[in-house]
Amino acid sequence: MRWRNFALSGSAALGAAAALNAVAARESGSPLPNPVGGEEGWFSWRGHRVAFTRRGHGPAMLLVHSIHAAAWSYEWRRAVDRLAERHTVWTIDLLGFGRSDRPDVRYTSALYVQLLADFLEQQIAEPCILVGSSLGGAYVVALAAREGTRGTPRVPAVVLVGPTGVTHLANTPGAVNDAARRLINSPGAGTTFFNALVTKPSMRFFLEQTFAQEGYVTPALLDAYYTTAHQPGARHAPAAFVGMALNLNVRDALRRLEMPVLITWGDQAKEVPRTELEAYRTLRPDAEVVMFSPCGSLPHDERADEWCDAVLDFVARATGEPSTGLPIGVAASA
């Protein structure tokens, strides 16, 4: 009887997995629109296409999105308009995310830092302010430290949003983590696990933890993240994230930064705990810090106007541009 019950439960689980995968397969491949407007382009990198946009006029500014199962440049959509009034604003979908190709390759933090370095040199090809969110902020720190060694002002200023890399998401992967990466990246069990991870209820829960304001997760916002998580090959890069292969320790890089740094944070951020802010401030006590309230992990989305005011004012002072004269409009700064 026990074997019969086991077989029946196993059959039910397999049936549920098959149904889940079938639903995901039907919804896979819905085309992603340009989420931020402006000129669209494709950067050819190591045989793959990397999507980017360019908008506005003025000193160059590159926005690098955060990393999670449904990450893409959509998170910058509410900030680009304001920033583009004074800057040429570039956004990029990192390889494996958004409208970029999603090949089954070995994704690592070093791969992403090199992608950004090549994009900066070959596509933007001028001094550029770097802006990075969460783990994307760690990549920005690493790139800015490397560019600073060239002796030219390739990166005149750095803006970070809830960055990682000092204590949080700074550990290197071990054998268990690599096994998890290979499991999630597998075509059988991995596909089922990832499809379960990016169902609409699961993604709604994740997004409601990301934002502080009740009701901020609208059907349109949920659909935008749901659609990008159901593109062909969507599980490959997130598998590397789960396996800690995308982690990056930036302690040394942070100390070496030669340019002004602004760190922005949401007072109710859960994705990256505020203890990381204190670790950043210990290593870079000269960095400016602006805290937004009430706000979760993405102030450039949830408090876009105030965040843009703070960034434009900081960049103007850091680079010697004419002052914006804009009020910062945040609850607290330090």
Side-chain angles (χ1 to χ4, degrees):
M1 181 63 70
R2 289 197 304 270
W3 285 106
R4 180 184 178 190
N5 290 341
F6 178 79
L8 289 174
S9 62
S11 297
L14 290 173
L20 179 65
N21 292 341
V23 170
R26 286 198 303 270
E27 297 176 338
S28 177
S30 300
L32 291 174
N34 172 2
V36 298
E39 176 188 349
E40 302 178 32
W42 301 96
F43 178 57
S44 180
W45 191 72
R46 298 186 180 181
H48 307 294
R49 299 198 313 164
V50 174
F52 70 86
T53 67
R54 181 175 62 186
R55 188 169 182 175
H57 301 281
M61 177 181 289
L62 174 62
L63 311 181
V64 182
H65 61 74
S66 56
I67 301 290
H68 51 80
W72 64 313
S73 57
Y74 177 84
E75 72 177 72
W76 301 109
R77 72 200 180 285
R78 299 191 64 221
V80 169
D81 279 356
R82 287 286 309 285
L83 298 177
E85 292 174 2
R86 297 179 65 91
H87 294 274
T88 300
V89 180
W90 300 77
T91 70
I92 186 172
D93 283 331
L94 296 174
L95 191 70
F97 293 102
R99 296 184 303 121
S100 292
D101 288 348
R102 306 189 187 208
D104 185 3
V105 299
R106 189 67 179 262
Y107 291 93
T108 65
S109 57
L111 178 141
Y112 284 135
V113 174
Q114 189 59 54
L115 166 60
L116 292 172
D118 292 342
F119 185 78
L120 183 63
E121 180 176 357
Q122 299 172 28
Q123 189 66 50
I124 299 180
E126 64 177 290
C128 182
I129 298 144
L130 297 180
V131 183
S133 173
S134 192
L135 190 51
Y139 301 157
V140 159
V141 169
L143 175 59
R146 188 163 78 175
E147 290 298 325
T149 63
R150 300 191 180 194
T152 57
R154 301 256 302 179
V155 180
V158 166
V159 177
L160 305 173
V161 184
T164 68
V166 175
T167 59
H168 189 64
L169 300 184
N171 298 332
T172 56
V176 173
N177 307 116
D178 191 58
R181 177 193 62 79
R182 287 186 279 108
L183 174 63
I184 298 172
N185 205 36
S186 65
T191 299
T192 301
F193 178 88
F194 185 77
N195 288 340
L197 182 67
V198 294
T199 61
K200 281 199 172 180
S202 177
M203 296 199 64
R204 175 175 286 279
F205 176 80
F206 167 74
L207 291 169
E208 287 175 346
Q209 299 300 303
T210 299
F211 299 102
Q213 299 178 56
E214 185 175 353
Y216 196 81
V217 181
T218 63
L221 187 146
L222 177 60
D223 285 345
Y225 283 109
Y226 180 82
T227 302
T228 193
H230 287 79
Q231 298 299 301
R235 76 180 187 279
H236 298 316
F241 175 66
V242 172
M244 298 175 65
L246 304 188
N247 288 8
L248 183 61
N249 190 314
V250 297
R251 283 178 171 269
D252 291 339
L254 190 59
R255 294 188 185 99
R256 297 200 312 272
L257 291 186
E258 300 175 354
M259 66 290 294
V261 178
L262 170 66
I263 303 175
T264 63
W265 222 282
D267 67 331
Q268 298 179 40
K270 297 178 181 179
E271 188 76 8
V272 181
R274 286 179 63 176
T275 53
E276 190 79 355
L277 170 59
E278 296 309 314
Y280 259 81
R281 295 184 72 175
T282 298
L283 293 172
R284 287 304 299 257
D286 60 325
E288 292 190 27
V289 177
V290 180
M291 187 70 65
F292 297 86
S293 177
C295 187
S297 299
L298 302 179
H300 49 289
D301 187 334
E302 194 169 7
R303 311 282 296 191
D305 287 343
E306 297 99 318
W307 184 83
C308 287
D309 287 347
V311 170
L312 290 171
D313 178 74
F314 164 78
V315 170
R317 289 184 288 104
T319 61
E321 299 174 19
S323 175
T324 63
L326 296 171
I328 299 303
V330 295
S333 61

